């Protein structure tokens, strides 16, 4: 039977924090760490999955698949969604290997979904338009695994392009890529403090954003400007939350212009502004993330840094000069430990290609 392989990268959110559920825009990048899948088609409807570094073989049958709280729910969900959508998926065997840390905010979940999806297109010779592939992977995570996530992670893993930022309009579901100036890389530093997005804070922020949109009389905060917000009367806390989202959308559009001007310095400045807004307006930062951003921004060769992802713990991302990244990583880890007593973990990343570019 036919055999094939695939690779899908993790991603980092660069600007556009919490904009997704506000109909907004976001900039991300795929990184050079990710998940590889290798497999072969079978003549029956059986599925057999293994993952290096995780014990156990997971067996399934396409006709009777149901989630069971295992790591394999992510790839099995993708197989089921593709099958149920009408693509010619039959039984198969696949093994995953990864150099992407799990749960570090680099979206290993999207990487395993996308690596599975692309592997299946190759094993069973069918094509799916890239944006639809992203939507189907998201559907698997939302409906099969039961995790509500936006489209950014899957889009980034699919559309990523070496040394490019990915622009996603969450409302229109359109994607564009813009090149970075040469010689920049990304340093992702995990604070060692687990992110607890499931907590009430996330839902509270959502509700406050929706409340602000309602007061402003717009369908979503995407449709409001800073000027409109400044002139509006609403509770001070809700106004600050809205200021973050509206500011983030504006920063994303400004950042695109800076990329067109090959200006990494101006891009980095927006990242620092974004973090400040997280601290002051959205209050989704933590003292650990603040320390990491401050320490990073004080290093030579760092253009800017900010928290990445949901916040309330997790990781920061810094845009850095690649020639200095090694030194920056070591210094940030050391100073962070000295200041907070936490072991931060720095991941040096190149901006890499998405899954469809890898053969
Ligand atoms: P992340 O922020 O990395 O996306 P998630 O909790 O969303 O964290 O997804 C992590 C899940 O993805 C794991 O619990 C597991 O089910 C799956 N996963 C990630 N990497 C692997 C891997 N190498 N092998 C098997 N499953 C993986
Ligand atoms: Mg995830």
């Amino acid at each position: 039977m036919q055999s094939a392989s695939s690779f899908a990268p993790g991603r980092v959110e660069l600007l556009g924090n919490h904009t997704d559920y506000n109909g907004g825009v976001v900039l991300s990048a795929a990184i050079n760490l990710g998940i590889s899948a290798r497999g072969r088609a079978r003549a029956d409807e059986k599925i057999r999955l293994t993952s290096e570094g995780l014990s156990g073989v997971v067996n399934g049958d396409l006709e009777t698949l149901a989630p069971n709280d295992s790591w394999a729910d992510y790839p099995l969900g993708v197989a089921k969604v593709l099958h149920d959508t009408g693509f010619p998926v039959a039984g198969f065997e696949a093994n995953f290997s990864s150099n992407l840390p799990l749960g570090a905010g680099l979206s290993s979940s999207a990487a395993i979904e996308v690596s599975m999806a692309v592997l299946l297109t190759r094993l069973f010779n069918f094509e799916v338009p890239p944006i639809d592939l992203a939507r189907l992977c998201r559907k698997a995570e939302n409906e099969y695994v039961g995790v509500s996530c936006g489209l950014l992670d899957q889009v980034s893993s699919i559309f990523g392009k070496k040394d490019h930022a990915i622009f996603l309009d969450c409302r229109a579901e359109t994607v564009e890529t813009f090149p970075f100036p040469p010689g920049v890389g990304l340093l992702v530093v995990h604070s060692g403090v687990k992110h607890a997005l499931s907590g009430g804070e996330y839902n509270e922020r959502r509700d406050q954003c929706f409340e602000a949109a309602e007061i402003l009389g717009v369908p979503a905060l995407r449709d409001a400007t800073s000027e409109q917000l400044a002139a509006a009367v609403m509770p001070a806390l809700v106004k600050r939350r809205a200021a973050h989202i509206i500011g983030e959308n504006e920063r994303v559009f400004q950042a695109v212009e800076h990329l067109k001007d090959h200006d990494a310095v101006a891009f980095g400045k927006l990242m620092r502004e974004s973090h400040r807004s997280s601290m002051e307006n959205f209050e989704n930062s933590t003292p650990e993330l603040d320390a990491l951003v401050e320490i990073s921004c004080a290093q030579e060769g760092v253009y800017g840094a900010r928290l990445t992802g949901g916040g309330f713990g997790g990781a920061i991302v810094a845009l850095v000069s690649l020639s200095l990244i090694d030194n920056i990583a070591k210094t940030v880890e050391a100073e962070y430990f000295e200041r907070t007593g936490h072991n931060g973990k720095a991941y040096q990343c190149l901006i890499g290609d998405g899954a469809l570019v890898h053969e």
Side-chain angles (χ1 to χ4, degrees):
M1 296 296 284
Q2 183 157 354
S3 66
S5 63
S6 66
F7 170 85
R11 66 90 190 93
V12 191
E13 171 203 291
L14 296 177
L15 274 173
N17 191 239
H18 285 259
T19 52
D20 54 350
Y21 54 84
N22 291 294
V25 289
V26 54
L27 279 169
S28 68
I31 57 177
N32 61 325
L33 304 174
I35 300 187
S36 301
R38 180 169 291 281
R40 62 183 188 90
R42 293 174 57 116
D44 55 20
E45 298 286 287
K46 301 260 184 285
I47 299 175
R48 186 177 186 279
L49 297 179
T50 50
S51 178
E52 284 167 23
L54 294 179
S55 59
V57 177
V58 176
N59 290 299
D61 189 304
L62 259 182
E63 297 307 323
T64 56
L65 277 183
N68 75 340
D69 273 333
S70 113
W71 64 266
D73 284 352
Y74 293 81
L76 290 175
V78 170
K80 181 164 169 56
V81 165
L82 285 171
H83 175 262
D84 291 355
T85 307
F87 292 106
V89 174
F92 64 94
E93 297 181 1
N95 177 54
F96 298 95
S97 61
S98 173
N99 58 5
L100 189 62
L102 249 92
L106 295 174
S107 203
S108 65
S109 56
I112 198 166
E113 289 156 20
V114 172
S115 66
M116 178 81 276
V118 173
L119 182 73
L120 291 173
T121 64
R122 290 174 184 169
L123 287 179
F124 298 105
N125 294 313
F126 60 92
E127 282 192 23
V128 187
I131 191 71
D132 292 345
L133 201 64
R135 288 190 189 113
L136 291 165
C137 287
R138 177 195 182 182
K139 184 174 181 190
E141 184 156 343
N142 288 169
E143 293 177 13
Y144 191 88
V145 185
V147 174
S148 63
C149 60
L151 194 60
L152 176 74
D153 301 353
Q154 294 80 7
V155 155
S156 305
S157 188
I158 290 172
F159 286 84
K161 195 165 164 188
K162 191 177 177 323
D163 295 329
H164 283 61
I166 305 154
F167 169 91
L168 169 67
D169 183 325
C170 299
R171 177 182 277 164
E173 295 192 344
T174 51
V175 183
E176 281 177 84
T177 56
F178 297 95
F180 272 103
V184 302
L186 299 171
L187 188 69
V188 175
V189 193
H190 198 270
S191 63
V193 181
K194 220 176 141 37
H195 68 166
L197 259 191
S198 50
E201 286 108 338
Y202 192 94
N203 291 335
E204 190 186 82
R205 295 299 184 281
R206 267 179 97 103
D207 290 345
Q208 289 163 336
C209 290
F210 298 156
E211 187 185 339
E214 202 177 317
I215 296 171
L216 286 164
V218 291
L221 286 179
R222 161 67 179 275
D223 305 299
T225 63
S226 293
E227 291 74 32
Q228 265 173 292
L229 183 68
V233 179
M234 67 177 80
L237 183 67
V238 176
K239 200 166 194 171
R240 279 195 285 126
R241 303 296 190 243
H244 181 62
I245 304 302
I246 294 170
E248 283 295 279
N249 281 322
E250 290 173 351
R251 279 185 282 278
V252 167
F253 286 116
Q254 286 164 19
V256 166
E257 295 309 309
H258 294 322
L259 289 174
K260 289 179 184 164
D261 293 338
H262 316 289
D263 190 346
V265 173
F267 193 103
K269 189 161 170 275
L270 291 173
M271 293 174 79
R272 290 196 295 264
E273 284 174 18
S274 166
H275 189 77
R276 179 148 297 279
S277 174
S278 272
M279 287 168 72
E280 293 173 357
N281 293 326
F282 215 61
E283 294 176 281
N284 63 333
S285 188
T286 60
E288 293 81 20
L289 295 173
D290 296 345
L292 280 173
V293 166
E294 197 182 314
I295 294 164
S296 301
C297 288
Q299 307 307 312
E300 187 194 346
V302 174
Y303 294 105
R306 63 185 280 277
L307 69 80
T308 181
F312 308 110
I316 66 135
V317 58
L319 186 72
V320 305
S321 171
L322 264 183
S323 59
L324 297 171
I325 194 168
D326 207 28
N327 220 7
I328 297 167
K330 288 193 185 104
T331 313
V332 170
E333 278 183 348
E335 287 193 17
Y336 176 65
F337 180 74
E338 215 167 276
R339 200 187 289 191
T340 67
H342 288 290
N343 280 309
K345 175 92 189 86
Y347 301 95
Q348 299 182 27
C349 306
L350 300 174
I351 300 172
D353 279 324
L356 293 179
V357 181
H358 286 270
E359 286 301 322

